[in-house]
Structure formats: C-alpha cells, structure tokens
Amino acid sequence: MTDPLDLDEFRRNGHALIDWIAEYLGGLEDRPVIEPVAPGEVRAKLPAKPPMTGEPFSAMLADLDDVVVPGLTHWQHPHWFSFFPAMSSPPAILGELAAAGLGVQGMLWSTSPAATEIESHVLDWLVDLMGVPQSWKTTGPGGGVLQMSASDSTHTALVVAREVCRQRTGAPAESMVAYTSSQAHSSVEKGGNVAGYGHVRLLEVDDHFAVAPATLRDAIADDLAVGLTPAFVCAAVGTTGTTAVDPVRAIGEIAREHHLWLHIDAAYAGSAMICEEFRDHQDGLELADSYTFNAHKWLATNFDCSIFWVADRRPLIDTLSIVPPYLRNAASDAGEVIDYRDWHVPLGRRFRALKLWWVLRSFGVEGLQAMIRRHIAAAQRLDAWLRTDDRFEVIAPTPFGLVSFLHVDGDEATDALVARLNDAGFAINGSVANGRHFIRVSIGSTWTEDRHVDALRSAIDRLG
Ligand SMILES: *Cc1c(COP(=O)(O)O)cnc(C)c1O
C-alpha cells in the first residue's frame, strides 16, 4: 500500500519526477515535435473508472511515458517555431514546484504577506529593467500585478476603462466604443464583449500591418457624430499575426485628446524591452493607462505569468474592490498594504511571483538580455536570407523573433510549404494577412539554438 501523505515517499517520488523532467527536456530533439495522434486515442488508453485503492507513483510516471508524452505537441521542442514561444526553464519549473509546496493563497496581503510583497517588488524591478514609466511602480501611483494571461489583463483594462468613462460621461456601456487594430489579438474583441461595450471597432491597418493615427482619428469622429462614446483604445506592440507595432505615441495623443483609456498589448514583444535597443518600438508609454506582457511567452517563465501594469491604481481598485465582512482585516482597513484580490477578477491567487523572481535571479539581467538578442538576431538572419531568394517574399518587418513570409507562387504553394516543413519535423504555422496566406516562423523556444534555425533554413531552401 502506498500512503499519499508519506513525506519520505514524497521525497523519493519528487526526485524521480525531477529526473524524469530532465530526461524529457534533454530528449526532446529525438522526438517528433508534433506527436501523431488521432482524436480519442489518448482517452482510449485510460481505464473506465478511477482506482478504488491508491496506486504507486511509479505507475503514474510510467503513464507519463506511455499515455501523456505520445499525446502531446512538444512546445519545449527546439524545433518549435509555431505560434509564439511558451517558454519554460529549469528555475521557473522549480519556482512552480516551490509555490505548490507552499500552497498559500495570496489574495490579501494578510493571507501571505511574502506573496504580495515579493510580487510587488519583482514587478517594480521590471519597471526599471524594461524602461517603462517610473510611476508604474507600486511605490508610486500605479503598480503591477500578475495575472493568468494577457487576455485577463486586457479584459480587466476594458472593465476599468468602462467605469472611468461612465463616471466622466454618464454614458451607458452600450454606447461606448473600444478601438483596436484589425490585427489585434482576439482577446481585445472578446474583452469588449465581456465588458459590455456596445461597439468594438477593428481598424484597418497600413502596409506594415499597423494602425495609422488618422484611421483612429476618423473612426472617433464618425462615432462622435452619431452620438456614441469613444472610451478605450488598445495599441499593439507586436501583433500576434506579424508582430506589427502600432504608433504608441501618436495613438496616445489622440487618446488624451478624447479622454480614451490607452491600453498597450505587448503580450509577446514586451519581453524584448529588457534590451534598451528595442524600446523605440514603445515610445510614448507615458501616455498609456495600462500595459500587459507575458513573461510566460518570451521571458523564460512557465505559464501562467502575465504582467499587468496600471499608471494609476485607484480606478482599478475602485472598480474591482468589494469588501464582504469575512475579508476585512486591520492591515487592509488601515490602507497600508496591497490586496491583490482588488487588482483582478479572481479572489484566490497562486504565488506566481516566485518563479519569475527565480528566473530573474538565475539568469540575471544579462543572461535574459543575451537570450532575447540571440533570438532576434537569428530571426533577422533568416529574414535577410529569405530576402535574397526570389521564391520568397517577406511580408512584414522583423523587429523581434517572428519572420513572416510567403511563397511567391501563391497561397497553394505557401500552404504546401507549411505542410512539408511540418512533415519534416518543424512546428510551423501558417496564417493570413491582407487576404494572402503566409508562413510564421517564431524563434524563441528555450532550447532552440542557432543550429536548429539553420536546419529550418535548409529545409525551407530544399522544400520551397
Ligand atoms: C499571445 C497574445 C495574447 C494572448 O495571451 P494570453 O496570455 O494567452 O491570453 C494577447 N495579445 C497578443 C499580442 C498576443 O500575442
């Protein structure tokens, strides 16, 4: 019989699991990045009923090999060039484990002071590290909080903006308008719907897939003319499709003029801002009301770890704070502490800051900067090579780690190349921009080295 609460067994099983993870990560290169698996195949391996008595941990480890791994798409594979990276790293994995081991809930400062204070402190570190406005520190009027996802951050921004607009204008949400680009992530439109905006406008983009300020200006004028209430605009620093960068400063100036809340979605590209040379892409941040980026995409930190900053925390807290008697306590009543439950929708919260703190300490700032620079340099080398080959057209600039290109023979040739690259053992996805099919090569997986990108380049050359 096994005893799931026996701490000596836990110790042994834990060591075995860490060994297993190290084997898994170290062996990924020898596996297909996308396991061939048919719908229902994984489930068919599972027993119809749960066991009546406890099983040994060894049985679960064996099923990781037999049931789980053959049914995965390996996001940590060095040949992962699909979507965006969802980085994980040994220090982040250990941080996750430590957080689970501590098992605390940090919804209030008083329910685990260290969880709140480390989170505030690490996000204040990031303010300096990324060169975003000093006022966003928790020691200033703003502050940062970890959310599960950039979608949550953006949805929260939309809700706060709605309340700010309501207080200023008295307008009902149904008459409010949220603006973003047609290239924006679907979370902006979804959040507009969730928050009850009457209208979400997806603005047309220019040749570089960015919103032109005049387009926003015209849309606001049209809406004002028919009695609607412009309330919110989201500018993307790095769209999901092609990593296009909206002009933050120009959009911010229009937002100021019309009292719109300016939210910045830098979910993917935000991590690059730890390197000073990429910060021009977000010039004008002092005009922003909120900002989100995912350390869980490109900053070596396991999902979930999305940073959400606000320039002024008062409207956020005013919108989300409801204090039932069972959550009252002296520290909160005295207003001396941050209670992160008032900074997002859920009450309970994981100790997410631990893994981010460990990542920053393990890599060091320079280690993380070197990683980002290596990815971007690899992407720019691939971009430059594609531009020398007249079979291919690079359809968007490559400011970060994503290369967007197509086959000049048309959509069918482009789709066929995606299929051949996937068959050749690379995870790549296609997309569509301005009605044309294109290929996204996203470089930034933790274990991807230059040789893996070179292998991809040879495959493109051979199969293109
Ligand atoms: C990935 C992405 C998102 C969504 O991030 P989640 O954390 O999965 O919600 C939003 N915006 C952009 C630009 C993205 O690339």
Side-chain angles (χ1 to χ4, degrees):
M1 273 293 288
T2 58
D3 175 2
L5 301 185
D6 183 291
L7 288 178
D8 286 325
E9 259 187 55
F10 170 68
R11 204 186 300 273
R12 272 194 305 278
N13 296 340
H15 291 159
L17 179 61
I18 295 291
D19 284 343
W20 186 92
I21 294 171
E23 291 283 321
Y24 170 75
L25 291 173
L28 273 176
E29 198 160 349
D30 300 328
R31 301 199 69 95
V33 53
I34 300 168
E35 298 282 350
V37 54
E41 198 176 316
V42 177
R43 245 188 119 158
K45 294 183 185 167
L46 302 176
K49 296 209 161 53
M52 294 306 287
T53 56
E55 297 180 60
F57 188 69
S58 56
M60 285 161 247
L61 266 189
D63 279 351
L64 275 180
D65 287 317
D66 299 341
V67 179
V68 179
V69 167
L72 293 179
T73 294
H74 301 291
W75 285 66
Q76 305 309 320
H77 198 293
H79 283 177
W80 181 261
F81 299 104
S82 215
F83 301 102
F84 279 133
M87 291 186 87
S88 126
S89 66
I93 295 167
L94 294 175
E96 279 283 30
L97 183 58
L102 297 172
V104 300
Q105 287 285 344
M107 63 263 212
L108 302 173
W109 176 86
S110 60
T111 60
S112 255
T116 296
E117 294 193 13
I118 290 169
E119 182 163 328
S120 299
H121 199 74
V122 169
L123 296 190
D124 284 0
W125 274 0
L126 279 179
V127 166
D128 291 330
L129 198 55
M130 293 174 57
V132 301
Q134 287 291 315
S135 57
W136 296 4
K137 286 186 175 171
T138 52
T139 49
V145 60
L146 292 176
Q147 304 252 8
M148 180 172 74
S149 71
S151 302
D152 292 293
S153 302
T154 298
H155 298 179
T156 305
L158 277 152
V159 169
V160 181
R162 184 194 68 203
E163 288 313 296
V164 168
C165 180
R166 202 200 309 271
Q167 274 167 19
R168 191 179 61 80
T169 64
E174 302 80 70
S175 82
M176 290 183 198
V177 191
Y179 303 88
T180 192
S181 106
S182 62
Q183 297 295 305
H185 189 264
S186 55
S187 57
V188 185
E189 189 173 2
K190 186 173 184 175
N193 295 338
V194 169
Y197 282 71
H199 313 269
V200 180
R201 302 254 185 269
L202 303 181
L203 305 171
E204 285 309 310
V205 292
D206 64 17
D207 292 347
H208 285 169
F209 304 102
V211 170
T215 309
L216 173 62
R217 205 177 272 290
D218 292 348
I220 292 174
D222 289 349
D223 286 327
L224 286 172
V226 295
L228 295 177
T229 313
F232 173 97
V233 59
C234 173
V237 174
T239 58
T240 310
T242 62
T243 62
V245 177
D246 291 329
V248 172
R249 179 172 297 285
I251 289 175
E253 281 162 3
I254 299 169
R256 279 281 164 95
E257 186 183 326
H258 292 282
H259 307 283
L260 271 63
W261 182 284
L262 172 61
H263 176 64
I264 309 293
D265 179 0
Y268 159 70
S271 297
M273 304 307 159
I274 62 170
C275 303
E276 223 175 317
E277 66 269 31
F278 305 118
R279 292 187 197 149
D280 284 352
H281 293 301
Q282 56 181 22
D283 171 58
L285 280 192
E286 69 278 12
L287 301 170
D289 296 290
S290 55
Y291 181 106
T292 188
F293 87 98
N294 286 340
H296 65 238
K297 271 186 174 147
W298 200 14
L299 209 60
T301 308
N302 289 59
F303 188 84
D304 50 346
C305 195
S306 181
I307 284 87
F308 180 54
W309 273 307
V310 287
D312 179 0
R313 62 179 173 268
R314 278 169 314 177
L316 171 66
I317 295 171
D318 288 349
T319 302
L320 296 182
S321 180
I322 297 170
V323 189
Y326 52 84
L327 290 178
R328 294 200 58 166
N329 64 86
S332 299
D333 285 351
E336 290 168 341
V337 296
I338 283 179
D339 289 326
Y340 275 130
R341 71 180 190 98
D342 294 332
W343 295 51
H344 52 40
V345 172
L347 173 64
R349 63 197 319 270
R350 297 162 13 76
F351 194 170
R352 295 187 186 104
L354 203 52
K355 60 189 168 187
L356 181 57
W357 189 35
W358 287 11
V359 163
L360 289 167
R361 295 176 65 182
S362 301
F363 285 82
V365 173
E366 289 174 5
L368 291 170
Q369 287 170 333
M371 175 192 84
I372 294 277
R373 288 182 177 129
R374 184 168 57 76
H375 293 153
I376 295 180
Q380 290 179 342
R381 272 198 305 277
L382 180 62
D383 170 302
W385 176 78
L386 287 162
R387 285 176 197 274
T388 63
D389 191 317
D390 51 17
R391 287 173 294 169
F392 308 116
E393 177 189 336
V394 177
I395 63 155
T398 302
F400 307 112
L402 181 80
V403 185
S404 309
F405 73 102
L406 49 71
H407 199 294
V408 293
D409 289 349
D411 290 350
E412 262 178 45
T414 299
D415 293 348
L417 180 53
V418 172
R420 280 187 225 121
L421 289 169
N422 279 293
D423 287 346
F426 300 91
I428 304 267
N429 65 327
S431 188
V432 182
N434 281 351
R436 294 203 295 171
H437 293 201
F438 73 101
I439 303 175
R440 292 173 80 264
V441 175
S442 156
I443 297 170
S445 196
T446 307
W447 310 98
T448 300
E449 297 168 12
D450 287 351
R451 67 189 169 91
H452 301 108
V453 183
D454 292 344
L456 173 64
R457 189 179 69 182
S458 308
I460 294 172
D461 193 16
R462 195 171 67 246
L463 303 169

